[in-house]
Amino acid sequence: MIDVFSGNKGEWSEPYVLLKLLADGELYLGDGRRNKIENLILPIINIIREEQNGIRKYGYSSDNSRVVFDLGDENELQAVSVADFKRYAALLLKEIKRNNGQKGNPTFSIPNVESFLRQIGCTRLSTRSLSKSDIHIVVRDIRAGVCPTLGFSIKSELGSKPTLLNASGATSFVYEVSDCNEQLKKEINSLFNSRGSKDIRARMAKIAETGCLLRFQGLDSQVFFNNLTLIDSRLPEILAEMLRQYYSGQAVETEELTNRMCVDNPNGYDDSNGHHFYEYKIKRLLCEAALGMRPAEVWHGKYDATGGYLVVKQDGEIVCYHLYSRNQFEDYLFMNTKFDTPSSSRHHFGDIYETYEQPGKFLFKLNLQIRFS
């Protein structure tokens, strides 16, 4: 019995990208605000996707009117008109937008599109690879005069906003709470919101109200600390201050938090010549996170997604960002991400606690998560 395709909006976006790009025959590069750059177009030669029964490679007939592919097992080449790809891409987009799954279950099936996907050799909605690349595309780069194979991670705006840097035990930043005592610790740790969760912002406000200061001490994970230091030696303390401001309610968007750092200049950089120290460093972090850096794994600077991101916009249009146009890629990440609050109970942060090694020394943890906005 053949399993029915079922997935959420993000998972259904992966075959949509396949159909839409083969229908269009070209990639548009995007600017920092997700707009197409009309004069930066990459013609598509092939699209390569990993299926359950092997690698599927799609190309075009000599007159570009048909998509040509094989189904493996030494079958003859198959050909389906580009018009069919356009029709089913439009239908799939309509169904993705219309469906929300059922209560408590965000997954759904689209039978009237599934038959076409099976016809063209699709055996799954989304890839299961450990790589960050969901799809590979051979493009003709007219500027460079080459035809590289680029790996892309697919980010869809059709469903819930994906994370760029996931929270974990490794992403906890540790601060010393100055002038704290046992009574104050109990008072602050008793603050919960109406849902029964730790009220991190109320706790931060109480810490500030009592005149206590948070002094950055380090990270729970030496691996993540070293990863950040590899990117930039001052990055751990820069992020620690941005986290403090975020949880204090000063700002949410990455760009706004970074702008506040530029104004405050806590690291005391010489900005007399207009250098954008903080923006440059944060953009590097976002780019490394997008292309392979994971907090709990040692990072050597080698990228998984060899091309970058394909972004499915809410209107169904697709723009790409890759390392050939690094400035636009970094601008996109910088202008379209925000700091986010993960589960404080799951990741064990937001409580003041006293250290066993140094009685009378009180510590407090904040956790980093960055999500697309």
Side-chain angles (χ1 to χ4, degrees):
M1 180 178 177
I2 298 177
D3 292 335
V4 174
F5 286 168
S6 181
N8 57 34
K9 289 177 180 285
E11 290 167 330
W12 274 107
S13 293
E14 292 198 24
Y16 171 73
V17 165
L18 176 68
L19 300 188
K20 173 66 172 170
L21 291 183
L22 287 171
D24 291 348
E26 55 193 15
L27 275 177
Y28 281 87
L29 274 69
D31 63 15
R33 298 298 182 188
R34 307 190 305 281
N35 299 310
K36 288 181 178 180
I37 303 176
E38 296 296 336
N39 61 339
L40 288 179
I41 303 172
L42 299 174
I44 294 172
I45 300 174
N46 297 111
I47 294 183
I48 302 164
R49 206 177 105 104
E50 182 182 344
E51 301 293 343
Q52 290 178 332
N53 56 352
I55 302 299
R56 191 82 65 242
K57 184 176 182 180
Y58 301 87
Y60 292 97
S61 60
S62 58
D63 61 357
N64 290 324
S65 66
R66 294 172 296 167
V67 174
V68 179
F69 57 95
D70 70 78
L71 297 176
D73 300 325
E74 299 182 355
N75 286 326
E76 295 182 358
L77 288 178
Q78 308 292 310
V80 176
S81 71
V82 169
D84 281 347
F85 277 84
K86 289 181 178 179
R87 181 161 59 91
Y88 279 99
L91 177 58
L92 180 51
L93 176 63
K94 179 181 177 181
E95 292 295 322
I96 292 173
K97 287 184 173 182
R98 184 181 67 83
N99 278 283
N100 290 306
Q102 298 182 5
K103 189 175 182 180
N105 182 9
T107 64
F108 52 89
S109 300
I110 308 178
N112 53 351
V113 174
E114 180 177 341
S115 58
F116 181 73
L117 292 177
R118 293 196 184 279
Q119 177 188 344
I120 64 172
C122 290
T123 58
R124 55 168 53 138
L125 294 186
S126 58
T127 62
R128 300 291 186 268
S129 173
L130 294 177
S131 168
K132 283 204 169 187
S133 299
D134 298 317
I135 196 168
H136 290 80
I137 305 175
V138 182
V139 298
R140 180 175 292 107
D141 190 330
I142 299 173
R143 295 174 300 168
V146 295
C147 297
T149 300
L150 305 176
F152 288 96
S153 175
I154 296 170
K155 299 297 179 184
S156 175
E157 297 180 354
L158 300 178
S160 58
K161 300 295 186 180
T163 54
L164 174 66
L165 192 148
N166 288 311
S168 68
T171 57
S172 283
F173 286 64
V174 184
Y175 305 77
E176 181 182 359
V177 187
S178 68
D179 302 318
C180 190
N181 54 53
E182 186 66 24
Q183 180 181 350
L184 185 57
K185 180 191 85 169
K186 291 181 180 178
E187 183 179 351
I188 290 173
N189 288 350
S190 68
L191 298 175
F192 291 84
N193 59 29
S194 59
R195 301 185 302 275
S197 301
K198 301 173 191 177
D199 195 331
I200 307 298
R201 293 201 169 181
R203 295 183 181 195
M204 291 287 289
K206 189 66 177 179
I207 290 172
E209 178 188 318
T210 56
C212 297
L213 298 176
L214 293 182
R215 296 193 178 101
F216 176 56
Q217 298 292 293
L219 278 75
D220 265 356
S221 168
Q222 189 63 40
V223 170
F224 189 35
F225 181 89
N226 289 342
N227 286 350
L228 295 176
T229 304
L230 178 67
I231 298 170
D232 187 278
S233 62
R234 305 294 295 275
L235 194 52
E237 59 195 76
I238 290 172
L239 284 172
E241 176 58 18
M242 291 175 72
L243 268 180
R244 189 195 67 78
Q245 292 199 20
Y246 163 68
Y247 281 105
S248 298
Q250 302 300 311
V252 174
E253 302 294 328
T254 303
E255 185 176 11
E256 185 179 355
L257 283 164
T258 305
N259 289 340
R260 292 181 64 88
M261 294 289 287
C262 294
V263 173
D264 297 342
N265 194 13
N267 285 17
Y269 294 124
D270 179 2
D271 57 5
S272 59
N273 293 310
H275 287 90
H276 297 170
F277 291 101
Y278 297 97
E279 180 178 326
Y280 176 80
K281 296 172 191 296
I282 293 302
K283 283 183 175 180
R284 284 197 62 193
L285 165 69
L286 299 175
C287 190
E288 302 296 282
L291 298 177
M293 191 274 287
R294 298 176 177 88
E297 300 174 11
V298 175
W299 172 241
H300 296 295
K302 295 182 178 180
Y303 298 145
D304 273 348
T306 55
Y309 277 9
L310 293 175
V311 179
V312 183
K313 298 167 61 176
Q314 291 184 345
D315 62 2
E317 291 301 314
I318 299 171
V319 291
C320 84
Y321 300 88
H322 65 76
L323 295 181
Y324 282 8
S325 299
R326 189 180 182 113
N327 289 340
Q328 284 88 358
F329 186 38
E330 290 182 348
D331 285 346
Y332 161 71
L333 297 172
F334 186 65
M335 296 176 183
N336 295 279
T337 55
K338 64 180 181 179
F339 279 40
D340 192 27
T341 303
S343 168
S344 57
S345 58
R346 178 181 177 185
H347 300 300
H348 309 292
F349 71 96
D351 291 314
I352 293 180
Y353 62 98
E354 190 173 4
T355 65
Y356 293 111
E357 298 82 2
Q358 295 178 268
K361 181 177 182 178
F362 293 88
L363 301 178
F364 187 74
K365 294 180 184 179
L366 296 174
N367 202 283
L368 174 66
Q369 179 165 278
I370 301 176
R371 183 180 297 277
F372 285 91
S373 55

